[in-house]
Amino acid sequence: MDKEGLMREAIRLSEENVRNGGGPFGAVIARDGEIVATGVNRVTSENDPTSHAEINAIRAAGRILGTFDLSGCEIYSSCEPCPMCLGAIYWAHLDRLYFGNDKKNAAEIGFDDAFIYKELSLKPSDRALKASRLLPGEAVRAFREWSSKDDKIAY
């Protein structure tokens, strides 16, 4: 399937999800023009704020391909990903992102990520969600153990 066909599938999924009571977001992960996995927004149906289309597609692709490294795959999203999804796309090592609507279009219908993007640029102590380090001397033990582990799988 060509790029436009893959994007049309992401858009079709987003429209179908709206008709089924979900949010207006769909995503497709493909490798060599073949669909590997799809996802739709299930935030309200699953009561899970992380159940975004891109996250669900990444989770499904990882299960299907048996790997957390989705190099060699591309993601087609009906909308420019939010900061959480964009981070997941980077962590998954997807080769390319295509999107239909942009974040301005999303803001126009009430999905405004500008606040989160702004917050990410601030020091943790200056964010609306107050954050403080707690017990760093104890927390570092797991990092030390990980660093000395010979059989770890790096990611």
Side-chain angles (χ1 to χ4, degrees), residues 14-74:
S14 71
E15 293 169 338
E16 181 179 283
N17 202 48
V18 169
R19 289 189 289 273
N20 291 329
F25 304 100
V28 170
I29 293 180
R31 182 168 55 187
D32 299 324
E34 297 295 321
I35 294 175
V36 172
T38 64
V40 294
N41 181 288
R42 298 204 185 281
V43 169
T44 57
S45 64
E46 294 182 358
N47 295 314
D48 179 353
T50 69
S51 192
H52 290 201
E54 298 89 343
I55 299 292
N56 290 330
I58 289 168
R59 289 173 178 160
R63 283 191 302 272
I64 290 165
L65 297 175
T67 182
F68 56 84
D69 185 342
L70 300 180
S71 296
C73 296
E74 301 174 329

Side-chain angles (χ1 to χ4, degrees), residues 29 37 54 110 118 135 149:
I29 293 180
E54 298 89 343
K118 180 177 178 255
L135 300 176
K149 198 171 163 60

Side-chain angles (χ1 to χ4, degrees), residues 7 54 75-81 97-103:
M7 179 56 75
E54 298 89 343
I75 188 165
Y76 297 79
S77 179
S78 64
C79 185
E80 184 175 1
L97 161 66
Y98 296 94
F99 58 90
N101 293 307
D102 65 16
K103 59 187 172 187

